[in-house]
Amino acid sequence: MSKLKRGKACKQCRSLKIKCDGIKPVCGTCRKGPRHDDCEYSDGPPRSRTKALEDTVSRLEARLYELEHPESSTPPVRLYDPYGPQFPPQLSPSYAGSSSRSLLDAPYQVLQVLWPTDYSSQESHGFILSPLSSPSRPSSTRPLLGNGPGNSPLGIYGSRSIAALESKTSEQKIHETLLQIFRPHACQFGFFLSWDRLTQPAHKSSALFNALYMWGAHLSSDRQRELDFKQITLQTVDAELTPETFIHTIQTQVLLAYYSFRTGHFLEARAHTATAVALTLGAGLHVIRSLNHPDAPIVKIQEENDQETRLQASADLVEEGERINGFWTVYMLQKNLTVALEPRSRVCGVFETAGMPIDTPWPLEMKDYAHGILTPDIHGDSTVCSFLDAGNVFAERSSSVAAMNVKAAILFHTAVYMHGQYRPGEVQPWWTAFGVVERLTNSLRAELLDIAQPQGQSSTRTILFTNSLLNAATIELHGIFESDTMSRQSCFAAARDMFRFGGANPQELGHLNPMMGTLWMTACNVFIDELRRVRAALAQGLCPLQAVSQQEREKEILADLNAGLKVLSFFAQESLLMGHQLAKVKKSMETT
């Protein structure tokens, strides 16, 4: 390939300072990204510095006119004293030179970050950073705009404050839009906090909000902002480990783990998961309301002045609910990640360690905590062990969709572990456990069908994920006995049910939990194994009647397999993880 001439690379490659082949509409480097829109090229001569300055002056003059004639323009933006009581100590990454063509693009360089808006109010709290100043206190604390010559638009900061004002308004809208993009899919990526409380100005975790902005940019395919927000999240998450933001730090680590898992950065996903697990156990979130450990230790956090402070008790039921749901979210993350990335013989982790108490009650929906459903008489007592107890199989019904989701993850993880531990000639205890897990799986599936109809779209995604976990558990349990006809039929029925989606169109479901790719891959492998079996039988030479039957069977299997591949291909467009899993399935098909 001939060397590309200077200035002919696409804007994305130029901003990242990487090689570009100049192919249109999408260059080779961006295609590997992958990008979902065409590359931008500067085919014409670049703007001169003089022209750029003239354009800036024209823009500032127009903005100055708007400020001097508010009656003929939009209402002025209300400004706040940057050193008042509601001033948030948070900076934002710069987006100068971004090549993304997302609808979220800001026209000018970002100079500041606003504190997340309270959606119940039209007011927002923020600050302005002059492009030529440092983040430290400016020379004056007077209002930037107001009456008198000292506070005119061209006073203290001159035209710089006008540019900052424009950036303030556009950045606020960008942040609001990013949060709105992420919110409908939040629970699929491990969000467990109360959203209503999160958007109140009292919350101070800049790392958490930057993680939310990162996810919003990721889901909107705004690659440049996604990377910028990821970088600032990683830089600030450890520094914010305080008693006030402790649960927010756990939430941030969970969001980073799911992001890394979805984008195929498995080592980073493991690291963030391990951190979330350590913080969760250190805070005693696994023994909330424990009957066995009523005096469970609460984490100590070392402050800079060498004084120890402790994580305070929950202020109310909603805060306690955040901690309960936070524990089970981390618990599920650890189990799903090990199943997806580790061999069956190594799926057990810290939560399966002998003597590890897990007494926290099952999770509820956040609105249930606000309604007082978590009454004082509810306590935890060996929550997981009681669920898997052979003598207590049908004693307890799930209290929420969230609880059913956790139980399904437990059953799937247990089935994978049992598959890895099975050896021919197993003794009675293994078969007893097999029966317990199978009965629990079938019982939970029947319970799931009872509540599957009247749910919203967010709950629908969770229900479908739960159902897929249960089907995958059935496949893992019965996949051990490939020579048994009944077990093969159970596997095939479970795999087929996984792609029915309850009659919904998968392309209208939105973004799903990254673990779905692993579950779909499990189902596709069932179809591939059955296809091999049928074709091997046809190759042996059957009688005409049997041959016709097997040929019809082959067509049915191919139809189911193609349906699975179609779903995987659709979601692989936005998830590198599912793209890897799709490639594995196609490679396995080559041997059929």
Side-chain angles (χ1 to χ4, degrees):
M1 182 181 68
S2 59
K3 186 176 180 181
L4 196 65
K5 293 183 179 179
R6 182 179 180 85
K8 296 298 182 180
C10 73
K11 291 184 178 180
Q12 177 76 359
C13 293
R14 288 169 63 186
S15 65
L16 297 176
K17 296 182 179 180
I18 57 180
K19 290 184 178 180
C20 179
D21 55 19
I23 297 177
K24 299 179 181 180
V26 183
C27 71
T29 304
C30 292
R31 186 178 292 109
K32 295 176 183 178
R35 281 178 63 91
H36 302 293
D37 51 0
D38 295 343
C39 294
E40 290 187 73
Y41 289 91
S42 301
D43 295 327
R47 287 196 309 167
S48 65
R49 180 176 177 81
T50 302
K51 177 61 177 174
L53 291 174
E54 289 175 351
D55 292 343
T56 302
V57 170
S58 298
R59 172 173 55 81
L60 294 178
E61 288 177 344
R63 182 57 179 157
L64 178 60
Y65 180 83
E66 292 179 1
L67 293 173
E68 293 176 341
H69 302 82
E71 69 282 354
S72 61
S73 61
T74 57
V77 178
R78 183 176 180 180
L79 301 181
Y80 293 85
D81 179 2
Y83 302 103
Q86 295 174 327
F87 174 70
Q90 179 181 357
L91 296 178
S92 168
S94 172
Y95 302 118
S98 173
S99 62
S100 174
R101 296 190 296 177
S102 168
L103 293 176
L104 304 175
D105 280 347
Y108 313 114
Q109 179 176 359
V110 175
L111 305 178
Q112 47 73 45
V113 161
L114 291 175
W115 195 247
T117 303
D118 179 0
Y119 292 102
S120 63
S121 172
Q122 296 299 318
E123 297 182 353
S124 60
H125 309 283
F127 70 96
I128 292 178
L129 177 65
S130 170
L132 299 182
S133 68
S134 67
S136 60
R137 181 185 296 265
S139 59
S140 174
T141 59
R142 290 179 295 175
L144 296 183
L145 296 178
N147 297 324
N151 290 327
S152 67
L154 295 179
I156 299 172
Y157 293 103
S159 62
R160 291 175 292 159
S161 63
I162 300 176
L165 181 61
E166 287 185 328
S167 295
K168 174 178 185 265
T169 305
S170 61
E171 192 66 10
Q172 175 187 353
K173 293 179 180 179
I174 290 171
H175 289 174
E176 291 177 356
T177 304
L178 292 174
L179 291 177
Q180 291 169 5
I181 290 172
F182 176 69
R183 184 176 183 179
H185 313 279
C187 63
Q188 299 301 309
F189 305 116
F191 186 82
F192 57 80
L193 297 175
S194 168
W195 192 275
D196 293 334
R197 291 196 175 186
L198 183 71
T199 53
Q200 295 174 1
H203 290 81
K204 303 176 182 180
S205 176
S206 61
L208 173 56
F209 278 101
N210 279 296
L212 295 174
Y213 300 150
M214 173 194 72
W215 264 107
H218 173 67
L219 298 182
S220 61
S221 300
D222 191 339
R223 181 63 174 167
Q224 188 60 50
R225 283 193 176 86
E226 174 187 338
L227 295 177
D228 288 337
F229 281 123
K230 176 185 177 182
Q231 181 181 12
I232 197 172
T233 301
L234 294 173
Q235 291 172 347
T236 57
V237 62
D238 293 332
E240 294 186 352
L241 189 56
T242 66
E244 293 77 18
T245 61
F246 191 86
I247 194 69
H248 288 179
T249 301
I250 295 176
Q251 177 66 93
T252 304
Q253 294 290 351
V254 169
L255 292 173
L256 287 169
Y258 270 102
Y259 171 82
S260 300
F261 185 35
R262 176 180 165 91
T263 56
H265 298 87
F266 300 140
L267 186 59
E268 293 180 22
R270 287 187 175 101
H272 292 303
T273 301
T275 303
V277 169
L279 293 174
T280 299
L281 294 178
L285 302 188
H286 59 304
V287 287
I288 297 175
R289 295 199 175 202
S290 172
L291 290 176
N292 302 314
H293 302 82
D295 300 323
I298 300 299
V299 68
K300 296 180 181 179
I301 303 175
Q302 192 75 21
E303 297 286 304
E304 292 182 359
N305 56 6
D306 294 331
Q307 294 181 355
E308 289 185 344
T309 56
R310 294 172 178 266
L311 183 65
Q312 300 298 319
S314 302
D316 52 31
L317 290 179
V318 173
E319 186 173 326
E320 186 177 18
E322 288 182 329
R323 298 183 182 188
I324 292 174
N325 288 11
F327 166 73
W328 289 113
T329 299
V330 173
Y331 182 86
M332 277 191 63
L333 171 63
Q334 192 270 343
K335 283 189 174 293
N336 289 337
L337 200 68
T338 54
V339 168
L341 303 181
E342 302 290 348
R344 292 185 178 98
S345 59
R346 294 171 53 189
V347 296
C348 288
V350 63
F351 290 122
E352 290 75 40
T353 304
M356 171 63 68
I358 298 178
D359 296 335
T360 300
W362 295 114
L364 300 173
E365 310 302 330
M366 196 53 63
K367 65 179 185 298
D368 294 335
Y369 295 114
H371 294 160
I373 293 181
L374 187 67
T375 54
D377 61 311
I378 296 179
H379 295 280
D381 182 8
S382 301
T383 309
V384 176
C385 291
S386 297
F387 171 62
L388 295 175
D389 185 3
N392 195 30
V393 174
F394 300 104
E396 180 187 28
R397 287 185 65 84
S398 303
S399 55
S400 66
V401 174
M404 298 175 72
N405 194 19
V406 174
K407 292 178 180 179
I410 293 173
L411 292 172
F412 177 50
H413 180 273
T414 304
V416 171
Y417 172 74
M418 292 180 62
H419 191 140
Q421 295 298 310
Y422 175 78
R423 300 294 181 272
E426 280 290 350
V427 294
Q428 186 61 34
W430 190 93
W431 288 103
T432 300
F434 178 93
V436 169
V437 175
E438 184 176 30
R439 288 195 302 272
L440 280 172
T441 301
N442 293 334
S443 176
L444 192 60
R445 184 182 288 112
E447 189 179 342
L448 189 67
L449 292 175
D450 293 339
I451 55 95
Q453 297 301 325
Q455 303 294 322
Q457 190 175 37
S458 179
S459 294
T460 298
R461 285 190 284 265
T462 303
I463 290 172
L464 290 175
F465 179 42
T466 304
N467 186 61
S468 297
L469 285 168
L470 294 173
N471 284 322
T474 297
I475 292 172
E476 285 292 331
L477 277 179
H478 289 274
I480 302 172
F481 312 107
E482 297 180 351
S483 59
D484 183 75
T485 303
M486 294 295 294
S487 289
R488 288 205 310 270
Q489 290 176 353
S490 296
C491 291
F492 192 83
R496 176 176 283 182
D497 184 65
M498 205 179 296
F499 291 111
R500 287 174 179 166
F501 299 102
N505 182 356
Q507 298 184 6
E508 297 177 355
L509 293 175
H511 304 284
L512 300 178
N513 190 297
M515 188 65 184
M516 287 296 294
T518 300
L519 305 180
W520 288 336
M521 184 174 66
T522 301
C524 287
N525 286 333
V526 171
F527 297 142
I528 292 173
D529 291 341
E530 191 66 19
L531 191 62
R532 288 197 188 104
R533 216 171 271 113
V534 170
R535 289 178 173 174
L538 288 171
Q540 292 177 358
L542 302 174
C543 67
L545 185 60
Q546 290 178 324
V548 171
S549 176
Q550 291 296 324
Q551 288 170 356
E552 291 297 325
R553 175 69 172 166
E554 182 183 20
K555 292 180 182 179
E556 293 178 3
I557 298 171
L558 282 173
D560 292 326
L561 179 58
N562 288 331
L565 291 174
K566 183 178 179 181
V567 172
L568 257 178
S569 299
F570 175 77
F571 286 94
Q573 298 175 22
E574 60 181 29
S575 172
L576 289 177
L577 173 63
M578 292 193 184
H580 295 326
Q581 291 159 338
L582 176 63
K584 290 181 180 178
V585 172
K586 290 183 176 180
K587 185 175 181 180
S588 182
M589 288 177 60
E590 295 175 357
T591 60
T592 58

